[in-house]
Amino acid sequence: MNTPFSPELLELINTNRATGHRPLLFGNARVITDDSLIGDFDRGDVLLGGSRVVGIGPGLLTAADDDGAIVIDCDGYVIVPMDIDIAQLRGHREASFRSPTALAPGNPASFAILPIDSDESASAALRRFLGAPESASTVVIAGDVVLWGGQSVNTGDAAEAPAVANAPSDQYLGTWIDENDFVHQHLTADGRYDETRGGRPHAFQGSFWITGDRIDYRDDLGFWAFGEFIDGTLHHAGYTFHRS
């Protein structure tokens, strides 16, 4: 089994990310899933397929060779979800609730790995992580290693990703009027919006960005809001708008 968090292992993972499809298996760890159905493991494995968790629990190591997995031995470490559902943690969710941020099959593979003492409970380690996120030794976000052995990892995404230009499509520009004719929202080609409310002009003004079917607003007063385009209508802040 590979030595955890070595530069050589990181190089292998990065090479696989760029050219291969071998799954990653983080094995022999204490695992906190934040999932009420699955529960936690005193010793378990987390298997990644691309950006998602595809398996979790004890025994996955037995098939590591069959799957051609890259194995990271996490003995002496605890694996915790990067996004903790505090309501779930405090027992305020129904037993049947499945958190979309839990460390569970089908969910995004986003988690932190922390060193843990033999006499420290997993829950104590989780509280330590919540109080001091910098205590994480390794961090994986959506299947990509972004922190490895305490060192930041440049995944190359920032250099490869094209700049997002705010160039709204003509299909979204113009005046949108809610069904009660109370709010008129004007979207212009320069990425600005201007709202008339109840006949009061310039009630709200600011910038907007459209990504897919989502529109995000940043008002000149400082607040943020969003809306969605669905079947030719704009849904925003409880209003349904039609383009005039």
Side-chain angles (χ1 to χ4, degrees):
M1 189 175 291
N2 294 295
T3 302
F5 318 131
S6 67
E8 294 78 15
L9 185 51
L10 177 60
E11 183 178 358
L12 176 61
I13 291 171
N14 285 337
T15 300
N16 178 69
R17 177 178 179 270
T19 63
H21 303 283
R22 296 174 63 187
L24 300 183
L25 196 152
F26 295 81
N28 287 327
R30 296 196 206 178
V31 181
I32 296 177
T33 68
D34 202 27
D35 186 285
S36 57
L37 177 63
I38 296 174
D40 302 330
F41 302 97
D42 288 333
R43 182 171 290 271
D45 314 318
V46 180
L47 179 63
L48 277 57
S51 64
R52 295 187 178 275
V53 176
V54 297
I56 194 165
L60 291 172
L61 274 172
T62 60
D65 289 340
D66 295 341
D67 297 336
I70 298 173
V71 178
I72 302 95
D73 185 359
C74 296
D75 186 25
Y77 292 83
V78 59
I79 298 177
V80 302
M82 275 301 295
D83 299 307
I84 304 295
D85 185 334
I86 299 299
Q88 173 90 344
L89 187 66
R90 295 296 300 272
H92 299 315
R93 300 285 195 191
E94 295 181 359
S96 60
F97 177 77
R98 306 299 302 279
S99 172
T101 62
L103 204 54
N107 282 357
S110 298
F111 54 88
I113 305 176
L114 294 74
I116 186 171
D117 295 331
S118 58
D119 59 349
E120 183 181 22
S121 68
S123 59
L126 177 58
R127 290 193 296 271
R128 173 162 55 87
F129 174 60
L130 291 173
E134 66 275 10
S135 62
S137 173
T138 293
V139 172
V140 177
I141 301 294
D144 286 335
V145 176
V146 298
L147 184 74
W148 184 258
Q151 300 296 317
S152 295
V153 176
N154 181 6
T155 63
D157 290 343
E160 296 170 5
V164 177
N166 184 28
S169 169
D170 289 345
Q171 65 178 313
Y172 299 125
L173 300 180
T175 299
W176 295 80
I177 302 174
D178 86 286
E179 293 176 330
N180 295 317
D181 198 28
F182 178 74
V183 180
H184 293 205
Q185 187 177 103
H186 313 283
L187 304 180
T188 56
D190 59 353
R192 297 283 296 175
Y193 70 89
D194 190 340
E195 274 194 7
T196 298
R197 287 178 166 248
R200 178 166 53 95
H202 315 309
F204 292 112
Q205 295 175 298
S207 302
F208 72 89
W209 294 262
I210 296 175
T211 306
D213 294 327
R214 176 185 172 113
I215 179 170
D216 288 279
Y217 306 90
R218 184 180 64 194
D219 197 83
D220 291 344
L221 294 175
F223 67 82
W224 288 78
F226 88 105
E228 292 178 296
F229 296 99
I230 302 174
D231 296 330
T233 61
L234 169 59
H235 297 259
H236 161 65
Y239 294 96
T240 299
F241 296 83
H242 297 270
R243 189 181 179 197
S244 66

